[in-house]
Amino acid sequence: MASPNLATQLGARALQTRWLVRAPIWLYRAGLGFLFGTRMLMLQHIGRTSGERRFVVLEVVDRPAPDEFVIVSGFGTKAQWYRNIQAHPHVRISTGIRRNLAATATPMTNDESSTALEHYIHHHPGAWDKLRETIEHATGRPVDTLPMVRLNVSRAAS
């Protein structure tokens, strides 16, 4: 791995700074999530041990259908939100002007995740280069694949 530039170092530090990572949650909860457009979403999930509501803001890497979102776990399968959705797949999401939508979270297979990542890299090469460097610097590991999750909005329950 090459020596990271200042932007990569700052991005990695930001990903490891709890209050900074959580700041967008307050904007979503205040009804201002539309400021992030539809490239981001807030995921409300249930803690697998505590049973309490938890929140995380994540990048949408793909929209295969109007009521389907693909999100990525930059910190792998050990991310708390990722482990929580495996235990409790019924979640709620807010994105753009749409708020508090019921959805089901389904972890994607490695092949599905690889295909989605290739699609993202093809459509956002500059963003991917920066994101990959930042994730690698923050985790200390090279990124060869990233676990992804498909969110399907429940039409009747939303």
Side-chain angles (χ1 to χ4, degrees):
M1 235 182 304
S3 178
N5 63 32
L6 182 60
T8 298
Q9 291 175 14
L10 292 174
R13 173 75 75 187
L15 286 176
Q16 296 169 321
T17 306
R18 184 173 171 83
W19 69 266
L20 192 56
V21 171
R22 298 189 58 75
I25 293 169
W26 299 108
L27 293 171
Y28 275 94
R29 292 183 79 179
L32 300 172
F34 66 88
L35 295 172
F36 295 101
T38 56
R39 287 278 311 269
M40 305 292 283
L41 64 73
M42 182 176 70
L43 176 70
Q44 177 183 320
H45 51 101
I46 303 298
R48 67 192 174 284
T49 303
S50 69
E52 294 183 24
R53 292 184 310 153
R54 304 290 186 199
F55 302 88
V56 64
V57 174
L58 301 161
E59 182 177 6
V60 174
V61 297
D62 197 9
R63 291 281 309 271
D67 286 333
E68 188 175 321
F69 301 83
V70 175
I71 55 177
V72 63
S73 179
F75 285 94
T77 57
K78 293 185 178 173
Q80 296 301 315
W81 72 264
Y82 188 87
R83 294 170 68 192
N84 288 343
I85 63 99
Q86 288 180 306
H88 303 285
H90 298 289
V91 299
R92 299 195 83 74
I93 63 170
S94 296
T95 185
I97 61 171
R98 300 170 74 189
R99 296 179 62 192
N100 204 30
L101 304 171
T104 301
T106 307
M108 296 166 62
T109 66
N110 287 338
D111 287 343
E112 291 170 329
S113 293
S114 293
T115 300
L117 184 58
E118 288 173 20
H119 182 263
Y120 180 83
I121 292 169
H122 178 74
H123 286 83
H124 307 285
W128 168 245
D129 287 341
K130 291 179 181 104
L131 181 62
R132 180 185 43 77
E133 288 177 23
T134 301
I135 291 172
E136 287 178 349
H137 189 68
T139 63
R141 296 186 320 263
V143 173
D144 50 2
T145 186
L146 293 168
M148 298 201 188
V149 173
R150 181 173 284 111
L151 300 170
N152 289 299
V153 174
S154 309
R155 293 174 193 251
S158 60

